[in-house]
Amino acid sequence: MRVLGMMSGTSADGIDAALVRISGAPPALIAILEGHHHVPFPAYMREGILRLANGAATTTAEISELNFLLGAELARAAVAACKKWRVPLEEVSLIGSHGQTVFHMGAAARFQGKVRAPSTLQIGETSIIAERTGISTVGDFRTADMAAGGQGAPLVPFVDYLLYRDALRGRAALNIGGIANVTVIPAGAGAEDVFAFDTGPGNMVVDALVERITRKKAAYDRDARIALSGRTIPELLVRLMREPYLRKKPPKSAGREQFGEAYSHGLLAWGSQHHAGHADLVRTATVYTPLTIADAFRRFILPRTKVDELIVAGGGALNPLMMAQLAASLPGIDVVSASRFGVPAEAKEAFAFAVLAYETYHGRPSNLPSATGARHPAVLGKIVRAAKSPAKGRR
Ligand SMILES: Nc1ncnc2c1ncn2[C@@H]1O[C@H](COP(=O)(O)OP(=O)(O)O)[C@@H](O)[C@H]1O
Ligand SMILES: [Mg+2]
């Protein structure tokens, strides 16, 4: 089956689409990436998403509208991607669309002054995607896991396990998106031995600083150019490493609730109080991410299992300073880009949601209870059948 996976993560930078040819069933599932395409969000949409994700006051009308507008944007991205790959839509059997998370709370917690029950909301209406592409679409992957008592995240470890498990080498898969998360696959592990959690910030804090400092002329620090022109501020770094989230025991997940707008405002306020240069702040925030990852290894991973290799994906894998600092902070572990394993760093999560959709389509569970904390494996997501379903000769 040819499956198109689509992802837009907490960075809200845009939509990644991946075309994946998939056959077989786990543990012998074969998935090969055939194409990747990135479509940046129009500015108004990114702003809308960030406002909601940062917990701004909103109306139900606004959320409802954004759900539909984003569905249309996702459909456009799918059509544009197939055009770029010269693959007729008829040859794609299925779409897996993660949607955009605007709220996620995997366990009951205090948020905006109130203890709230666990819930999660991904928007980007799948009915619109299925209607406009003519391709059956799976979405809403996280809710079934949460209904089964899980945190609804992380879901990619299922795919990490299929891709990277090894009889002799202990491996960890790291995704540096807006938030950074790690999947640990001990040598010779069974699915039940895999564990995963969010280590803390990925690119989110750096992106927010760069956007403020450049007055929105840049959305991120391409190739770490700004960071590399500054110097790390040790005093600030020590302060940042005291972040309580880092000490919290896994399973744990993070989002804009922890490292969003309020957090980067705090950093900028510290900067102006201490007359810190802008580039110095960006460099400190850039170095902070790999240091929190190495800290998570020392506290929670290496005491449990040996890791020989760390496979890095997500936009952060393209940040040379983050990658260099990561390798330097994890002596004895080979730090390599996911690209070396057949799936480019930028395409990895979209690829994963193609595989998860394929599993759902076949009625198989694809959460890892050891990673999410669910009571049992669950079939993830909801399927919108297109007028012509894959079952009727769309393979
Ligand atoms: N060439 C690059 N140099 C530095 N950072 C980059 C580069 N390319 C992407 N990034 C970072 O990766 C982020 C996007 O990562 P992504 O994996 O799409 O995250 P998410 O899954 O949260 O959307 C950008 O916002 C940026 O911070
Ligand atoms: Mg992205």
Side-chain angles (χ1 to χ4, degrees):
M1 245 172 131
R2 255 178 167 161
V3 187
L4 194 158
M6 284 194 285
M7 177 71 196
S8 59
T10 46
S11 299
D13 54 327
I15 300 161
D16 284 295
L19 187 64
V20 189
R21 188 175 281 281
I22 314 177
S23 57
L29 181 140
I30 297 169
I32 296 161
L33 182 75
E34 293 190 323
H36 169 246
H37 184 55
H38 178 80
V39 183
F41 279 133
Y44 85 91
M45 185 158 283
R46 178 175 155 82
E47 270 162 34
I49 291 167
L50 289 183
R51 264 173 37 75
L52 294 190
N54 277 312
T58 182
T59 59
T60 42
E62 191 183 10
I63 299 171
S64 179
E65 181 189 36
L66 200 58
N67 181 41
F68 269 57
L69 292 175
L70 191 56
E73 199 60 38
L74 285 158
R76 265 195 292 278
V79 171
C82 287
K83 196 168 168 199
K84 177 188 157 190
W85 302 323
R86 294 170 195 271
V87 171
L89 289 171
E90 295 74 40
E91 286 180 17
V92 178
S93 306
L94 189 68
I95 290 177
S97 176
H98 173 270
Q100 179 72 49
T101 297
V102 289
F103 188 79
H104 181 85
M105 190 165 271
R110 181 168 284 278
F111 183 69
Q112 291 182 333
K114 194 178 155 192
V115 176
R116 286 163 204 274
S119 78
T120 189
L121 185 59
Q122 284 74 42
I123 60 170
E125 184 47 54
T126 37
S127 292
I128 296 181
I129 304 173
E131 169 67 25
R132 300 210 178 159
T133 58
I135 303 168
S136 292
T137 302
V138 186
D140 244 332
F141 289 88
R142 300 194 186 274
T143 45
D145 179 81
M146 285 182 69
Q151 300 227 357
L155 299 181
V156 176
F158 177 84
V159 179
D160 289 331
Y161 176 66
L162 289 176
L163 283 179
Y164 302 138
R165 80 202 131 90
D166 192 89
L168 302 175
R169 286 169 81 75
R171 284 179 171 155
L174 177 73
N175 193 77
I176 312 179
I179 292 293
N181 58 273
V182 68
T183 304
V184 184
I185 313 157
E192 66 286 355
D193 303 317
V194 173
F195 62 101
F197 59 95
D198 289 348
T199 54
N203 302 296
M204 189 178 277
V205 181
V206 183
D207 284 0
L209 290 182
V210 169
E211 201 166 284
R212 278 292 287 269
I213 287 164
T214 65
R215 297 213 166 76
K216 297 204 173 170
K217 284 203 187 72
Y220 69 96
D221 186 16
R222 180 180 283 265
D223 303 332
R225 269 182 225 147
I226 302 174
L228 287 169
S229 73
R231 281 203 301 219
T232 304
I233 309 166
E235 188 191 350
L236 177 58
L237 209 45
V238 167
R239 220 183 130 85
L240 294 178
M241 291 305 292
R242 287 198 203 114
E243 164 65 40
Y245 180 83
L246 306 182
R247 285 196 302 271
K248 220 171 123 184
K249 284 209 182 89
K252 57 179 177 176
S253 60
R256 290 198 181 270
E257 296 77 10
Q258 288 84 8
F259 299 104
E261 211 169 28
Y263 191 87
S264 51
H265 279 183
L267 253 172
L268 282 166
W270 188 96
S272 48
Q273 249 174 33
H274 294 78
H275 310 288
H278 282 167
D280 296 348
L281 285 176
V282 173
R283 184 170 187 128
T284 305
T286 304
V287 166
Y288 178 49
T289 288
L291 290 187
T292 61
I293 294 163
D295 186 67
F297 269 78
R298 275 189 295 273
R299 280 182 208 267
F300 305 121
I301 300 175
L302 298 178
R304 255 172 95 168
T305 189
K306 183 165 186 290
V307 176
D308 300 291
E309 210 161 18
L310 177 61
I311 303 163
V312 190
L318 305 178
N319 184 313
L321 180 57
M322 267 190 202
M323 287 297 277
Q325 183 64 57
L326 191 59
S329 307
L330 290 170
I333 299 178
D334 283 340
V335 178
V336 295
S337 164
S339 309
R340 287 247 304 263
F341 285 78
V343 183
E346 320 88 87
K348 169 74 189 302
E349 292 223 307
F351 176 96
F353 279 91
V355 175
L356 294 175
Y358 174 89
E359 288 303 285
T360 300
Y361 179 77
H362 289 97
R364 292 189 291 258
S366 59
N367 60 335
L368 286 185
S370 61
T372 65
R375 288 185 295 273
H376 55 79
V379 179
L380 302 180
K382 301 178 184 116
I383 309 180
V384 178
R385 302 264 173 206
K388 279 192 269 167
S389 84
K392 290 185 204 136
R394 268 182 156 260
R395 283 156 201 264

